[in-house]
Amino acid sequence: MAATKIIPFASAPAFFKSLRARGKRLVQSHGIFDLIHPGHILHLEEARALGDALVVTLTADKFVNKGPGRPYFNEQLRLKSLAALSCVDYIVLVPFTGALEAIACVHPDVYCKGKDYADPDFDTEGNLPDEIRAARKYGGQVRFIGSVTYSSTKLLNQHFDHLSTPVKAFCEDLAMRYPRKSFFEAVASLAGLKVLVIGDTIFDRYSAVKVQGLTSKNKIISGRFLGEETQCGGALAVFRHVKQFARQVKFVSLIGAEPWAQRQLRAHVAPGEDCVIREAGFTTIIKQRFVEPLVEGAEMSKLFSVNFIDAHPPAAAGQRKVLSAIRREIKQADVVLLLDFGHGLMQPLVRELVQASAKFLALNCQTNSNNHGFNIVSRQYQRADALALDEQEMMLAVGQRQMDHARELARLKQKFRSRYAWLTRGAVQTIGLHDHEAACLCPPLERDLVDTIGAGDAFFSVAALAAAKQLPVDLATFLGQLAGAQAVKIVGNATPISKPTLLKSGMSLLNF
């Protein structure tokens, strides 16, 4: 009996159309229903009383964005739990993040939301107006119902084990200082910043191969080519992240004149944002990674990489154009995000100009296989208002393998006269420092990794904006970690960080 209640998404529109044709009044409730509690039961019973059939549309596992460890119960268990309720007539598993596609699927006569949503301040993500418009578009009305209110997320956070002990302790402590509205307002405050992103443009090319084994004569890996995808990396990836949070963002970089690179850039940078120099004698940077096909639930397996990078600095004419673009744009920016990958753009005159002219300078000077031992932050720069580096970059900066990480970060912060400093240590923790505040030690929020490439850039993108707004270091670090937690679930930089997802996962983790 319960199985007959579950309607496949593809055939659901026709099924519900046939019910409406027979005069049935359809009521819809949409959500994740990760932990069904008395509040859900009463909400669904009240919804059922408003029509002839209650349709519950359920977000599929892949599209739940409540943060690490969610959903706690997989979609099959959630379907089975809802189907067991006598007040529920039909359930549809929806392969989308939001509710709009679910509403379009059902065309409800009544669309039900919890009573909390009757207060506009509760809808911090701003999705409700679109949901109301969608319901009315199909002839439906919206009702706010539910005589008892509980929170599945709060119950899960308090009583279940989907969060590691360090993450739970960190978030519970943070929640005492930053309620839901304060967190939302902090993220919203980033929108008004005027941002200039400067740095090396890198295109990450993922070439998927099926490994067939070793060749019989030379013992080299043999693989069958499956396909490839080119993504925006380097400073261009950071530009795309920042655009999700700030309305006014400009981008200064240097690429070659290759037609494919022009098409890629036009697809992601609007004319009013584009301050990129094109030089025919410069090779647009490509980092080509040969990888095995992604297996769901496993981290991507990378075989080897080939870099297309000029061995010499850009020509003098190109450097002059870059300097001119920076002089033109830097005075208008509230904050400059400087991404130095050591691939040619950041020459001494460029570094000097940015350090001398930026109102607020957020610096990320990276070490990689192309520049190892040569692009060390403490040698290349003297000033930054905020800086972020990883453990390898810290070891090179201080000349030590074994160290007291917090103490050495504090020394580096003092050397640069920085207001903020971060050391990201991957699976260990992220250390955040700010003037006159206790050090913030934030554990990694996400344990299930797909691809760690770009996670540090995502962290820096959001943490730097938070620093420019002078947010407390614990909140700024948390925002950066939320961005990094999203990034490790994405292959490379296939998509930018989502602001709605960051808001939803952050508010979920702070719900205690």
Side-chain angles (χ1 to χ4, degrees):
M1 189 70 176
T4 62
K5 293 183 176 185
I6 301 171
I7 311 299
F9 182 80
S11 58
F15 177 78
F16 294 128
K17 182 178 181 180
S18 70
L19 291 183
R20 290 193 303 276
R22 287 153 43 195
K24 298 291 185 182
R25 180 176 170 84
L26 302 183
V27 183
Q28 180 181 6
S29 182
H30 176 77
I32 297 170
F33 297 94
D34 199 5
L35 176 66
I36 295 179
H37 51 66
H40 284 144
I41 303 295
L42 293 169
H43 173 94
L44 295 172
E45 287 179 342
E46 291 175 34
R48 179 62 178 82
L50 298 175
D52 299 312
L54 173 60
V55 181
V56 177
T57 44
L58 184 71
T59 305
D61 288 350
K62 185 178 177 181
F63 301 92
V64 173
N65 55 12
K66 287 278 191 176
R70 301 289 302 276
Y72 188 86
F73 297 102
N74 65 42
E75 60 196 34
Q76 294 305 316
L77 290 174
R78 292 183 288 129
L79 283 168
K80 189 174 181 66
S81 298
L82 287 166
L85 300 177
S86 60
C87 59
V88 175
D89 296 285
Y90 303 106
I91 311 138
V92 181
L93 189 66
V94 179
F96 294 96
T97 300
L100 300 184
E101 293 84 359
I103 295 170
C105 170
V106 178
H107 288 204
D109 296 286
V110 183
Y111 180 65
C112 293
K113 296 290 288 186
K115 273 193 175 176
D116 288 338
Y117 285 92
D119 177 3
D121 289 339
F122 187 80
D123 180 34
T124 48
E125 296 168 66
N127 294 329
L128 184 58
D130 289 337
E131 292 177 29
I132 292 174
R133 281 191 290 270
R136 289 174 176 168
K137 174 183 175 182
Y138 301 116
Q141 59 174 288
V142 178
R143 295 285 296 273
F144 300 99
I145 63 172
S147 54
V148 176
T149 302
Y150 290 96
S151 166
S152 293
T153 295
K154 182 177 287 189
L155 291 169
L156 286 164
N157 285 351
Q158 291 178 341
H159 304 293
F160 288 70
D161 61 356
H162 66 293
L163 300 176
S164 68
T165 300
V167 170
K168 183 174 182 178
F170 178 85
C171 292
E172 193 167 10
D173 179 64
L174 203 64
M176 296 173 65
R177 294 189 295 282
Y178 307 105
R180 178 187 180 100
K181 188 173 182 181
S182 297
F183 174 77
F184 175 79
E185 289 173 347
V187 177
S189 72
L190 309 180
L193 288 168
K194 295 179 181 177
V195 186
L196 178 62
V197 177
I198 304 173
D200 300 284
T201 291
I202 300 168
F203 288 100
D204 295 317
R205 184 165 293 161
Y206 282 80
S207 300
V209 297
K210 174 67 174 176
V211 175
Q212 296 174 307
L214 298 177
T215 59
S216 58
K217 295 181 179 180
N218 302 110
K219 304 300 182 187
I220 59 175
I221 294 175
S222 172
R224 180 169 59 86
F225 179 78
L226 299 176
E228 64 185 14
E229 177 186 13
T230 300
Q231 302 175 356
C232 301
L236 181 53
V238 170
F239 168 80
R240 294 179 72 204
H241 295 324
V242 170
K243 277 184 62 178
Q244 309 307 307
F245 297 88
R247 288 188 293 266
Q248 299 182 65
V249 188
K250 291 195 174 183
F251 183 45
V252 174
S253 189
L254 175 66
I255 65 171
E258 303 93 336
W260 69 265
Q262 312 310 314
R263 290 193 295 271
Q264 285 278 352
L265 203 63
R266 284 195 299 269
H268 301 290
V269 184
E273 303 163 338
D274 187 351
C275 306
V276 177
I277 306 304
R278 282 82 164 167
E279 278 293 300
F282 184 81
T283 300
T284 299
I285 299 166
I286 302 173
K287 293 187 176 181
Q288 185 172 12
R289 298 178 178 92
F290 290 83
V291 302
E292 293 187 274
L294 184 63
V295 177
E296 190 168 351
E299 186 172 355
M300 171 170 280
S301 172
K302 305 179 184 75
L303 302 173
F304 64 95
S305 175
V306 177
N307 298 329
F308 298 80
I309 302 175
D310 287 336
H312 303 287
Q319 294 186 44
R320 287 194 294 269
K321 291 176 185 177
V322 170
L323 289 167
S324 177
I326 293 172
R327 290 192 189 99
R328 184 178 67 247
E329 301 297 337
I330 201 165
K331 294 177 182 178
Q332 313 301 321
D334 299 319
V335 54
V336 175
L337 273 64
L338 179 59
L339 288 303
D340 186 344
F341 291 85
H343 292 335
L345 175 68
M346 303 310 300
Q347 295 300 310
L349 288 177
V350 175
R351 293 188 177 108
E352 291 171 13
L353 174 62
V354 176
Q355 290 178 95
S357 305
K359 295 175 188 175
F360 188 98
L361 175 59
L363 173 63
N364 184 220
C365 182
Q366 298 198 15
T367 290
N368 51 57
S369 62
N370 185 67
N371 67 36
H372 191 80
F374 295 93
N375 204 46
I376 300 173
V377 64
S378 55
R379 296 181 185 173
Q380 304 285 35
Y381 295 90
Q382 294 78 45
R383 174 234 164 174
D385 297 292
L387 73 153
L389 64 168
D390 65 20
E391 195 160 11
Q392 182 73 18
E393 290 153 3
M394 172 64 89
M395 287 191 290
L396 290 169
V398 304
Q400 300 177 41
R401 289 185 182 274
Q402 306 298 324
M403 71 185 85
D404 181 324
H405 293 91
R407 184 177 64 189
E408 293 300 334
L409 182 63
R411 287 177 177 173
L412 199 61
K413 175 179 175 295
Q414 184 177 20
K415 172 184 171 67
F416 279 85
R417 303 184 299 280
S418 299
R419 301 181 215 174
Y420 293 81
W422 285 283
L423 172 61
T424 57
R425 300 184 62 205
V428 180
Q429 66 180 183
T430 291
I431 303 171
L433 301 179
H434 182 222
D435 299 338
H436 314 303
E437 286 191 79
C440 173
L441 306 178
C442 183
L445 303 180
E446 182 60 70
R447 292 175 291 182
D448 298 324
L449 312 180
V450 173
D451 188 3
T452 58
I453 287 176
D457 297 335
F459 173 92
F460 175 73
S461 301
V462 180
L465 298 183
K469 290 299 294 186
Q470 295 293 298
L471 295 183
V473 70
D474 54 0
L475 183 55
T477 305
F478 181 58
L479 290 172
Q481 287 287 73
L482 286 170
Q486 270 195 63
V488 299
K489 304 292 286 184
I490 300 168
V491 174
N493 293 292
T495 59
I497 296 305
S498 162
K499 178 180 175 180
T501 298
L502 183 143
L503 281 168
K504 184 169 282 190
S505 59
M507 287 189 287
S508 173
L509 286 168
L510 296 179
N511 193 353
F512 280 91

